[in-house]
Amino acid sequence: FSLKELHGIFQWLVESIFGSLDGIIVGWNLRCLQGRTNPNEYSVALDFLDPSGPMMKLVYKLQAEEYRYDFPVSYLPGPVKASIQEQVLPECSLYHNKVQFPSSGGLGLNLALNPFEYYMFYFAISLITQKNSPVTHHVSPSNSAYFILVDTYLKCFLPTEGSVLPPPSSNPGGAIPSPTPRSPAVPFSSYGMHHTSLLKRHIAHQPSVNADPASQEIWRSETLLQIFVEMWLHHYSLEMYQKMQSPHVKLEVLHYRLSISSKHHGSPAQSSYQALHAYQESFKPTEEHVLVVRLLVKHLHAFSNSLKPEPLSPSAHSHTASPLEEFKRVVIPRFVQEKLYIFLQHCFGHWPLDASFRAVLEMWLSYLQPWRYAPEKPAQSTEPVPRSVPEKWASFIQENLLMYTKLFVGFLNRALRTDLVSPKNALMVFRVAKVFAQPNLAEMILKGEQLFLEPELVIPHRQHRLFMSPTLGGSFLSSRSPAVTDASFKVKSHVYSLEGQDFQYKQMFGTEVRNLVLKLAQLICQAQQTAKSISDHSAETMASQSFFSWFRFTPSEVNGSYTGNDLDEIGQDSIKKTDEYLEKALEYLCQIFKLSEAQLTQMMMKCGTAQDENGKKQLPDCIASENGLILTPLGRYQIINGLRRFELQYQGDTELQPIRSYENAALVRLLFRLASGLNQRFADQMEVLCSRDDFVGRLCRYHLTNPQLVQKIRYSPVVRDRTSQNWGPRISLRFLASYRTLISLLMIYFLASWFYVGPVGCTFIILSGYFLYAVIMTFFFEGWKPHEH
């Protein structure tokens, strides 16, 4: 095919692979394509889209001819889209010189992208725009073709060893200049133009055939990373987005809005409500999205840690470091740090309180531990001693202080609202506690907080704004600020650039957070006791199972109380794991925050005060009032998560209680009618017999009365004035409708037939035995009713 023909089908080909932006065309559905289920398609897709494969060769061939392709601004992430629609260019240099206004009669703004940018835009945005197609098998995101391609592109364009491979083209110097922008119909208020990539301008002023290969490889690396970050992490509210802007930018935006409110333009400006709605788009990252971002974070740590150490010889300083080495030095603070922080804040605040949060948690912990991805490996030891965090990482911890402290507080608030009896939730608490308990890490975080709290002697001038708010999307070579040696200023710059000058910092090792940790420790103790109670209850249930267990004859069904819990279905192994995770998590929290044994003992005693004598029946947290018991917020939390419960029992007339699953409904109704008829006919005679003071009266009271119920501790706060009730003498035959009673009688008749005892004789023996038993029990337990217990 000629280049003109390839140019004509390029956009169609990209849409056919990654799907259309509106989701109508699904494409190859790389996110669901796996080698285990579709080995042929999987292999073909990876080979075709490989960095040295046919598709990338086509991209480089078209790029050499300076072709441009329109990408609709309306499909960009909400904050960027709203900013461009308000005629304000984002700081990221990726959008500079690319915005194209529609011709007369055209609809919407477009970005004029070169083939490499166009391809990568579609590849990156397909992660968040394409919906999963229905599949009949389980899809593992980490084994999908899309996940493998992301890893492949990162290793190719951000290599940890060597340099970026040159484009597989016949024209290796096929660099292209930046696109020449059209004259906009409405002037843009650009606050990022002075941060435009110097490297890109350097490339743009060179002939394409003589382009510097090193600059060309860095341009591809920078573009790839910018696209990934912009597409995957550029989603937050208007308030957070405005915090990232420079002061003079806000002033320019204000002037622009005032000017358009007093003038009438050909194209009306977007209303403030619509702009706000566009900024605050409903963005819910998926678990697959988070896994891909974690892959990016891990690779960037490895890429940054592959930076060669600076030579000590004076002669070596005369040589300028290569662009790739400079890129490694600033790749995380300039491109990723701020947007990842806001992305994590969004996830911590909006992710459901379930086990799927584990993906977000592991992404956060991966970012907090860059030493795990350092090229040097720790010496193997036979003893499992935790590896101490090297001192060289102190600067990283200080420059990412909020990642450690504020997000830790966010995790505490989540953990206090989750069911820690669940093994998956307990594992997450254990993972966080284990990471923060690494030797020397807590001390480094504390040192960072002390540096931040130092009194500020000199107010930094505005020219330091570049350092205080890194140009996340700008080139690493643009307007580099002088090295700042004041560690306190570095920490304050980091905090204020992310949260603003009016931010009220909450110390991780302060009193308020320490109280949250104590609450979590108390909740861990309660969860351990709950898990132990469930384990004991399950063991007792297993031990008490009998031949009749398949008829669902359990003690809980007799008195109507609820004793179930979700963990009953998990098993003893999972309960044991829960206890191990919580025990280790509590140990690590004690190490981090220096909790004493006395504090732990006091918490254990508090947890035990709500238990009864057998240590199992814990009531929810309540407050006694004139209307009865009132649940506190803690009590509602305990009930919702199954940590505690009220023992609900039927307290009405036992004859009128609902028909149970272990009773025959027809027999219950028939026996109730029969007993009611007998009670109405012989009520006076039974009253006379039961009023006698001799042995006959005691025997009749044992059979015919339901003694006044003993006043019990009320477990339900609904009714305050409910007292025990007392009914007159009556006959109760409902116990004969129980399957247990019927089967027992049948077995007795069956066994009696072996000894040649007929039904009449067997019935006489049963009645005689019961009468003898009743006589004996009358002497000792007059109020005990055998057919009700």
Side-chain angles (χ1 to χ4, degrees):
F1 294 95
S2 64
L3 279 176
K4 189 174 182 179
E5 292 175 325
L6 294 175
H7 166 65
I9 67 170
F10 181 67
Q11 290 178 288
W12 167 84
L13 182 59
V14 171
E15 277 199 353
S16 300
I17 296 173
F18 302 120
S20 58
L21 297 174
D22 55 12
I24 296 177
I25 302 176
V26 179
W28 291 2
N29 201 14
L30 298 174
R31 294 165 54 187
C32 297
L33 187 59
Q34 299 207 354
R36 180 174 55 87
T37 55
N38 304 98
N40 295 331
E41 293 86 345
Y42 177 83
S43 177
V44 169
L46 292 184
D47 291 341
F48 186 77
L49 302 177
D50 189 80
S52 58
M55 189 64 189
M56 291 304 294
K57 290 180 180 178
L58 171 61
V59 169
Y60 295 132
K61 185 178 295 186
L62 294 174
Q63 182 140 331
E65 298 298 324
E66 302 185 12
Y67 284 116
R68 294 293 181 269
Y69 302 94
D70 289 341
F71 188 94
V73 171
S74 59
Y75 288 104
L76 291 175
V80 181
K81 174 178 63 177
S83 177
I84 294 177
Q85 288 175 346
E86 291 184 8
Q87 284 74 42
V88 179
L89 271 181
E91 287 186 352
C92 178
S93 59
L94 185 66
Y95 305 106
H96 297 166
N97 300 330
K98 293 184 175 67
V99 179
Q100 300 292 328
F101 283 86
S103 57
S104 58
L107 297 176
L109 300 172
N110 294 304
L111 296 179
L113 305 177
N114 63 48
F116 184 81
E117 293 169 336
Y118 187 82
Y119 174 82
M120 287 301 173
F121 259 82
Y122 262 86
F123 175 76
I125 207 169
S126 64
L127 177 65
I128 57 179
T129 58
Q130 295 297 317
K131 301 294 185 292
N132 286 326
S133 60
V135 291
T136 57
H137 58 276
H138 174 70
V139 176
S140 175
S142 58
N143 293 327
S144 66
Y146 188 88
F147 193 90
I148 300 300
L149 281 173
V150 172
D151 186 46
T152 303
Y153 289 152
L154 289 174
K155 290 178 179 178
C156 176
F157 297 107
L158 300 172
T160 55
E161 296 180 0
S163 59
V164 183
L165 295 177
S169 173
S170 58
N171 183 10
I176 60 171
S178 299
T180 304
R182 303 174 187 175
S183 298
V186 179
F188 269 69
S189 172
S190 173
Y191 50 86
M193 294 303 293
H194 60 284
H195 295 312
T196 303
S197 171
L198 295 180
L199 183 56
K200 290 185 178 179
R201 291 207 298 266
H202 170 70
I203 298 174
H205 286 89
Q206 292 186 21
S208 61
V209 290
N210 297 324
D212 180 14
S215 299
Q216 176 69 6
E217 72 178 34
I218 298 303
W219 177 82
R220 287 185 293 153
S221 302
E222 184 180 353
T223 300
L224 176 84
L225 182 58
Q226 282 182 328
I227 292 174
F228 283 0
V229 171
E230 287 296 308
M231 295 300 105
W232 298 340
L233 300 180
H234 211 153
H235 301 264
Y236 30 82
S237 65
L238 174 62
E239 178 185 2
M240 297 304 298
Y241 184 70
Q242 287 178 339
K243 286 183 179 181
M244 300 175 62
Q245 314 308 321
S246 305
H248 71 279
V249 176
K250 298 178 183 177
L251 186 61
E252 289 179 8
V253 172
L254 179 61
H255 285 320
Y256 170 74
R257 289 177 177 170
L258 291 175
S259 65
I260 63 174
S261 63
S262 59
K263 297 180 181 179
H264 297 280
H265 294 278
S267 56
Q270 187 183 34
S271 67
S272 58
Y273 173 79
Q274 290 174 329
L276 178 64
H277 180 74
Y279 275 107
Q280 296 178 329
E281 62 176 351
S282 177
F283 175 61
K284 299 177 182 177
T286 61
E287 187 173 354
E288 179 187 11
H289 183 168
V290 173
L291 290 175
V292 172
V293 174
R294 186 192 180 205
L295 175 65
L296 174 65
V297 169
K298 292 168 64 176
H299 185 83
L300 288 180
H301 273 320
F303 178 70
S304 180
N305 290 336
S306 66
L307 177 67
K308 297 177 182 178
E310 296 184 359
L312 301 178
S313 60
S315 60
H317 287 285
S318 59
H319 300 285
T320 305
S322 68
L324 186 61
E325 294 298 307
E326 289 292 327
F327 189 46
K328 292 177 180 180
R329 192 184 310 278
V330 296
V331 63
I332 290 180
R334 286 288 177 88
F335 290 89
V336 178
Q337 183 194 66
E338 188 167 355
K339 292 181 179 177
L340 181 63
Y341 171 72
I342 299 173
F343 180 79
L344 283 170
Q345 270 199 317
H346 178 86
C347 292
F348 273 60
H350 296 82
W351 203 277
L353 291 172
D354 56 21
S356 65
F357 186 73
R358 175 77 186 278
V360 178
L361 188 79
E362 294 298 338
M363 175 181 65
W364 173 48
L365 297 180
S366 295
Y367 184 83
L368 298 186
Q369 303 177 86
W371 47 87
R372 289 185 56 194
Y373 311 100
E376 64 272 9
K377 297 295 182 182
Q380 296 295 330
S381 174
T382 55
E383 299 180 0
V385 180
R387 183 189 179 192
S388 178
V389 179
E391 284 292 336
K392 71 175 185 177
W393 296 107
S395 60
F396 177 88
I397 294 172
Q398 294 167 9
E399 294 170 11
N400 292 271
L401 185 63
L402 291 178
M403 286 282 197
Y404 291 88
T405 58
K406 187 175 181 182
L407 293 183
F408 179 80
V409 175
F411 175 76
L412 283 180
N413 291 325
R414 287 185 61 93
L416 290 172
R417 292 178 292 159
T418 55
D419 178 14
L420 297 184
V421 185
S422 169
K424 294 180 179 179
N425 291 335
L427 175 60
M428 287 192 282
V429 176
F430 163 74
R431 288 282 296 123
V432 174
K434 182 180 180 181
V435 168
F436 278 84
Q438 294 178 84
N440 204 29
L441 179 57
E443 289 76 7
M444 290 183 179
I445 298 175
L446 180 60
K447 176 63 176 176
E449 289 193 324
Q450 293 172 348
L451 291 172
F452 174 75
L453 297 175
E454 285 184 2
E456 191 170 0
L457 301 178
V458 180
I459 299 177
H461 298 289
R462 287 299 182 189
Q463 57 261 31
H464 290 142
R465 177 64 192 179
L466 177 63
F467 176 78
M468 295 179 66
S469 181
T471 307
L472 297 175
S475 170
F476 62 92
L477 292 180
S478 58
S479 306
R480 293 194 60 187
S481 60
V484 181
T485 57
D486 185 4
S488 176
F489 175 66
K490 284 186 177 182
V491 178
K492 292 177 181 179
S493 299
H494 155 71
V495 173
Y496 291 139
S497 65
L498 291 181
E499 293 291 347
Q501 296 288 338
D502 56 346
F503 175 62
Q504 298 296 323
Y505 182 75
K506 186 183 296 184
Q507 298 181 53
M508 177 175 169
F509 296 96
T511 304
E512 186 176 352
V513 177
R514 188 178 181 85
N515 290 334
L516 289 178
V517 173
L518 289 175
K519 288 182 180 179
L520 178 61
Q522 185 175 358
L523 196 61
I524 289 175
C525 294
Q526 293 176 356
Q528 285 180 301
Q529 292 179 353
T530 302
K532 184 177 184 301
S533 299
I534 295 172
S535 178
D536 294 343
H537 173 74
S538 300
E540 291 175 3
T541 302
M542 293 293 294
S544 62
Q545 282 184 343
S546 64
F547 173 79
F548 303 104
S549 61
W550 59 282
F551 286 102
R552 301 174 67 181
F553 299 149
T554 58
S556 63
E557 292 173 321
V558 177
N559 56 22
S561 63
Y562 170 75
T563 59
N565 189 287
D566 294 339
L567 275 186
D568 293 336
E569 301 176 359
I570 294 179
Q572 292 293 323
D573 293 340
S574 295
I575 296 176
K576 183 178 179 181
K577 286 183 179 180
T578 298
D579 188 65
E580 292 176 356
Y581 291 147
L582 294 178
E583 183 177 357
K584 294 298 293 183
L586 190 59
E587 177 184 339
Y588 289 138
L589 288 175
C590 293
Q591 294 177 12
I592 299 168
F593 293 92
K594 305 295 189 294
L595 301 181
S596 63
E597 291 292 335
Q599 290 174 311
L600 288 181
T601 304
Q602 184 179 5
M603 283 188 298
M604 295 295 291
M605 291 178 63
K606 287 183 179 179
C607 294
T609 54
Q611 291 184 307
D612 63 0
E613 65 279 357
N614 59 10
K616 295 178 185 177
K617 297 180 180 178
Q618 300 184 37
L619 296 182
D621 191 59
C622 298
I623 299 175
S625 69
E626 59 181 8
N627 295 322
L629 300 178
I630 299 177
L631 281 173
T632 64
L634 175 60
R636 287 193 292 270
Y637 160 80
Q638 292 168 340
I639 290 179
I640 291 173
N641 291 280
L643 299 178
R644 296 184 184 181
R645 64 181 179 273
F646 290 105
E647 296 294 339
L648 302 179
Q649 295 184 354
Y650 183 80
Q651 297 180 354
D653 187 351
T654 55
E655 294 297 305
L656 301 178
Q657 63 180 314
I659 298 175
R660 305 303 180 88
S661 60
Y662 55 84
E663 293 178 322
N664 184 282
L667 279 178
V668 168
R669 297 185 179 95
L670 178 63
L671 292 172
F672 176 75
R673 293 194 187 97
L674 178 60
S676 298
L678 293 175
N679 291 329
Q680 289 178 1
R681 180 160 186 171
F682 301 104
D684 296 337
Q685 291 86 337
M686 289 189 292
E687 185 70 34
V688 172
L689 289 174
C690 291
S691 62
R692 294 174 59 172
D693 296 330
D694 54 6
F695 178 78
V696 175
R698 294 175 58 191
L699 184 65
C700 291
R701 285 195 296 270
Y702 175 75
H703 284 89
L704 302 177
T705 62
N706 184 8
Q708 188 173 18
L709 299 175
V710 180
Q711 183 69 27
K712 299 180 180 180
I713 298 176
R714 241 181 317 109
Y715 294 110
S716 173
V718 177
V719 181
R720 178 172 180 257
D721 297 329
R722 171 172 290 179
T723 57
S724 55
Q725 302 181 38
N726 186 25
W727 292 276
R730 60 179 179 175
I731 298 172
S732 176
L733 302 176
R734 181 163 177 168
F735 72 98
L736 294 174
S738 170
Y739 289 121
R740 175 185 294 182
T741 304
L742 294 174
I743 294 179
S744 300
L745 291 174
L746 288 176
M747 291 191 64
I748 292 174
Y749 282 116
F750 178 72
L751 292 176
S753 65
W754 283 10
F755 298 95
Y756 303 101
V757 178
V760 177
C762 183
T763 303
F764 177 77
I765 294 174
I766 292 174
L767 293 176
S768 301
Y770 176 76
F771 180 78
L772 179 62
Y773 173 76
V775 169
I776 297 174
M777 296 300 294
T778 300
F779 282 106
F780 300 101
F781 305 104
E782 181 180 348
W784 193 79
K785 303 292 290 181
H787 58 274
E788 292 182 2
H789 297 273

